[in-house]
Amino acid sequence: MDFLNTIALLKFNPCIHNIPYALLKCNTLNSEDEMEYNRYTLHCKLDEILKEHDNMSVLKLSKEIGHRRTTIMELMHNTNMEKKKISAALIVKLCLYFDISPNELFEVRPKE
């Protein structure tokens, strides 16, 4: 993957379903918008991606991309995603390693 494609990965838009455009566009949310926003969460599809790659282990992925196994496990299990800070470096590593876009790695879903 060349440099321009890597930069393009950083300028991704999450896969968003049924979220009013106004919520995504505005910088400040009123209380009605805030209630709507709180109905959604970021979901990482790393578990599905690992299964598609011959049930790759988290340990192997961790060693190959040089990132903490704990962080990868948290993403795989979508642990505390509402408060999680995911580094751009980790997103780029995962996308390049699996040859996917951030839209294939993450999606916005209604909370269950």
Side-chain angles (χ1 to χ4, degrees):
M1 182 171 282
D2 65 18
F3 179 75
L4 292 177
N5 286 336
T6 303
I7 295 301
L9 284 174
L10 295 175
K11 296 180 180 180
F12 74 98
N13 292 318
C15 179
I16 39 186
H17 301 285
N18 302 320
I19 299 177
Y21 178 72
L23 290 181
L24 301 171
K25 187 176 178 187
C26 65
N27 291 331
T28 58
L29 300 173
N30 63 38
S31 60
E32 185 178 309
D33 290 339
E34 185 69 33
M35 288 189 307
E36 181 75 14
Y37 171 78
N38 287 329
R39 292 179 33 211
Y40 297 90
T41 188
L42 184 66
H43 179 81
C44 181
K45 298 185 279 185
L46 185 57
D47 186 42
E48 299 162 33
I49 294 165
L50 289 173
K51 286 177 184 172
E52 292 170 2
H53 287 84
D54 299 322
N55 284 319
M56 177 185 286
S57 74
V58 172
L59 181 60
K60 178 180 178 186
L61 177 61
S62 173
K63 286 180 179 179
E64 293 201 7
I65 68 170
H67 211 86
R68 289 180 49 228
R69 185 173 40 135
T70 306
T71 304
I72 294 170
M73 287 290 291
E74 289 171 349
L75 286 176
M76 191 175 110
H77 295 292
N78 286 284
T79 305
N80 205 20
M81 290 299 283
E82 292 176 18
K83 296 180 182 176
K84 178 155 289 306
K85 294 180 181 177
I86 306 164
S87 72
L90 176 56
I91 294 170
V92 169
K93 285 178 183 180
L94 290 169
C95 289
L96 293 175
Y97 184 82
F98 291 112
D99 193 27
I100 59 174
S101 74
N103 284 349
E104 294 169 287
L105 183 59
F106 296 102
E107 67 183 355
V108 175
R109 290 185 177 178
K111 289 181 182 176
E112 296 177 355

